Structures are given as C-alpha cells and as structure tokens.
Amino acid sequence: MSDERPAWARRLANEREARQWSQAEVVAALRAHAPKPLPEGPSMLRQWKRWESGEVMPSDFYKPIIAATFGTVTHAIFPAAGRRDGDTEVVTVSGMETLDIISRLQASDVDNATLEALRITTDRLCSEYPHLPGPQLAAEGRQWLKRVAGLQSQRLTLAQHREILTLSGWLALLIGCVEYDMGDRAAAESTRKAALSLAQEAGNTEIAGWAHEMRAWFALTTGDYRGILAASQAGTAAAPTHGVAVQLAAQEAKGWARLGDRRQTEVALDRGRKLLEGMPYPDNLDHHFVVDPAKFDFYAMDCYRLLGEDRLAENLAQEVIRAGTDFDGSERSPMRMAEARITLGVVAARQGDLEQAVNYGEWALRSDRQSLPSLLMVSRELAAIVNRDFAAQPAGREYLDHLTMLSRAS
C-alpha cells in the first residue's frame, strides 16, 4: 500500500524512526531545542501525531525547531519552490540572444545590458553543471571565459573592469570543477589558482572562498585529510558570511569524520547547519555555487556513513535520492544521487547483503554525469567492505574488477 502522506510528513516519521525514538521521545527532544517552553501535557504529542500523519503542516514557529532536532535546516524538510530558466532570463532581462551578446562584445564600448546578459549567461552555465556532459560544459565555459576576458582590452569604467574580473572568476571556478571531474587534476589546480587570483584582484571574497573550497575538495578526494581542514579554515576566514562558508564547514566535517573524530565532525556540521538556517532561501537551486538546503542532507549523509551511523546515513541517502528526483522520474542531482546509492550499498554490505550492495554500487557507476574523483573515493569505501567480506563470491569479484577498470581509466 502506497504512502500518500506529504513528503515532509514521511520525512518526520523517517527521521524519528532512524533514531529509534518513540513519538513521546521526539516531543521531548523538540522541547530541548525550542527557544521557549512548549505547551505541556498531551497536547504536544497530539500535535506531533497530526504532523507525522500529514494532517496538518507545522507552523513557521515549529519548522526550525523540528529541523534543529533532526540536525538539519528548515528547507531541507519543508522545501520552498524556486526554479529559474536561464535562457529565458537572458532574453527577458537583456533582450539579447547568444549571437546578439557576442556581437555586442565586439563593440568598442560595453554597456550595462551586455554585462547583465553576461551575468545571466554565467549563471546559466553554472546551473548546467549537474546535467551537461563534462567535456561539453568545459568547452562552453572556456569559450565564454575567452570572450569575457577579451573585454579587458576595451574601454571600461572601474566598476565594469571589476565586473569582468568577477565574471571571469566564476567561469574559472566552474571550468576548474569540471576539469577535476574529468580527472585532469593539474589543469583543475591551475584553473583554481587563476580563479583565486581573479577574486583577489576583483576584491570578491565569495569567489575566493569557493577557490579554497575547491582545494578542500581536491584534498578530500586524494586522502589529504589535514589538507581539508587547512583549506576549509582558510576559506572560512576569506568568506565567513557567504554560502560557501556552509560548504566549507561541511568539508571540514568530512575531514574530521575520515580522521575518526566524531565530536569535531558534529561541531563542524552544526556550525554549517546554523549558518545555512540563517541565510535566505536561494533564488536558483540549480547553481553549482549555491548551497541549497537539500545539500546539507548530502553532507551529513557522508559523515554519518563514515562514522558507522547506518540508520542515519541510510535515511539521509533516501532523502537525497527523493529530493534529487523530479516528478517525471528524471534526476536533477545525478552526482549526489550516485553517492547516495553508494551509501545505501555500504549499509547493505555492512548488513551482509551482497546482492543489494553490488546493485547500488553498480547503479551509481552507470550515471552519465560523474565526478570521477568523488565517485571513486566513495566507491572505494564500498569496495573495501566487499573485498573484506565477499571477495570470494562472483558478484563481489565482478564489482571489484569493474571498479578497478574505472580507476585505471581515470
């Protein structure tokens, strides 16, 4: 029988059950996280039952309390609608198609309409990150970076010059990420350094923060866990109030989790959660350099898997997959969902279910849009368990061979 409750109501039940709490115990936890005393007696328990059944949605007062109780942010459980069409915005705001923009770039003067069209084009490219094949996105990004950089030879005001540097910085960040996804570490590091230099020249602390975040990501996937902490702390110092500070806290948490320090992992996660909770809801959830609320579940999933908290990791993996799946079954966040499936595979392997573990592991490897370093890093966690417990079984050997082949290809 299908569960017809709203997604948020199912999430409340799943979070409670993952912690093995009764409904009375979850109400007690709510009281501990509330900023002021909650109603006494059985009324709060009745209220929780109404929420969990989907009969009524919690008010805006209770939503952040529920989120804090479950260690996440309000909009991860109660999402707000918000999608943009970058191509339409370029035409609507600037009145220009791509060919029009290019012809305007060749003019001797650059006007504000052209710059606005370039801003939206850059935003659109950053929003294509989860979907476009890496080589195509890298090629388009480089073409636009060349066009934008070429504007520096034209007559620009000081403000326009700073805007050109900023747009170039965002494009460099995007290109560097895609280069790393494709396994070109040397090119990615050079591009990352270029983005950091552009950020410093433009005085843009947000881009600088993301350049440090990329260094933390590179360190994560190469096993330099102390390097993750150093890069995360440098990025946080550069951009303490921007959204990137949330992702830097998450990278720090991942580093601590891999070092086996549970306390520091949870401290870093909670710092990121509080930062994100206090930020406005993003206008464009698809933008690669925007930390959307659902992404926080993804960060926590990774940490809990490493800490051996299988119930919490499994529940968050299911949420990542649910949040990343559109109404028509298409995947909005294929790279996150691949890592979520590997998490489910790790949990299955720990429970002795080789067939389920390998199914999830192979499913993750089939994704068309991949970040090879991240995918291989997480896949090796599953491979380690399969090699330890199931190497003699054909299904286990086949999965290990497939992963070895993919690692060599990268």
Side-chain angles (χ1 to χ4, degrees), residues 180-405:
Y180 199 72
D181 287 341
M182 296 189 296
D184 194 342
R185 293 179 180 176
E189 175 59 12
S190 295
T191 309
R192 184 195 73 80
K193 288 179 178 177
L196 182 58
S197 177
L198 288 163
Q200 291 167 343
E201 190 175 351
N204 190 302
T205 57
E206 186 176 13
I207 293 176
W210 280 110
H212 288 296
E213 191 278 335
M214 286 174 66
R215 183 162 70 95
W217 172 35
F218 297 173
L220 175 69
T221 56
T222 55
D224 179 11
Y225 303 144
R226 293 293 177 183
I228 302 170
L229 305 181
S232 298
Q233 289 159 9
T236 301
T241 61
H242 289 290
V244 65
V246 177
Q247 189 143 322
L248 287 161
Q251 296 288 23
E252 186 176 335
K254 290 180 180 185
W256 286 120
R258 283 163 174 79
L259 289 167
D261 192 324
R262 182 189 182 97
R263 179 180 174 277
Q264 291 295 344
T265 299
E266 293 184 336
V267 167
L269 277 177
D270 196 52
R271 186 173 74 251
R273 185 192 68 77
K274 288 175 179 175
L275 279 169
L276 185 55
E277 189 68 90
M279 291 178 179
Y281 195 75
D283 290 330
N284 181 6
L285 295 177
D286 295 326
H287 197 292
H288 183 56
F289 301 108
V290 166
V291 181
D292 64 282
K295 202 171 186 181
F296 196 81
D297 290 338
F298 174 69
Y299 303 145
M301 174 197 77
D302 180 270
C303 294
Y304 286 129
R305 182 188 68 247
L306 285 158
L307 294 174
E309 292 284 356
D310 288 351
R311 283 178 175 270
L312 296 178
E314 181 180 19
N315 182 56
L316 289 170
Q318 296 287 9
E319 286 298 327
V320 168
I321 292 170
R322 184 194 61 76
T325 305
D326 233 327
F327 68 92
D328 59 358
S330 61
E331 297 187 357
R332 292 194 302 272
S333 307
M335 288 176 280
R336 289 188 214 175
M337 294 172 73
E339 292 191 37
R341 290 185 177 112
I342 295 170
T343 295
L344 294 175
V346 167
V347 172
R350 286 173 179 164
Q351 294 172 347
D353 189 341
L354 174 62
E355 181 180 3
Q356 187 87 304
V358 169
N359 283 343
Y360 278 124
E362 289 288 358
W363 193 354
L365 297 178
R366 289 197 298 268
S367 175
D368 291 332
R369 180 67 175 94
Q370 297 178 342
S371 173
L372 274 177
S374 296
L375 181 63
L376 290 173
M377 175 190 69
V378 183
S379 292
R380 289 185 186 113
E381 292 179 36
L382 175 57
I385 303 172
V386 172
N387 188 55
R388 184 191 67 200
D389 298 340
F390 307 105
Q393 298 189 36
R397 191 73 261 157
E398 187 177 340
Y399 173 71
L400 293 172
D401 290 344
H402 185 187
L403 195 58
T404 299
M405 182 178 65

Side-chain angles (χ1 to χ4, degrees), residues 145-160:
L145 179 57
K146 184 177 180 180
R147 290 164 183 158
V148 171
L151 292 176
Q152 295 193 64
S153 64
Q154 300 185 24
R155 293 193 295 271
L156 300 171
T157 66
L158 183 60
Q160 287 175 332

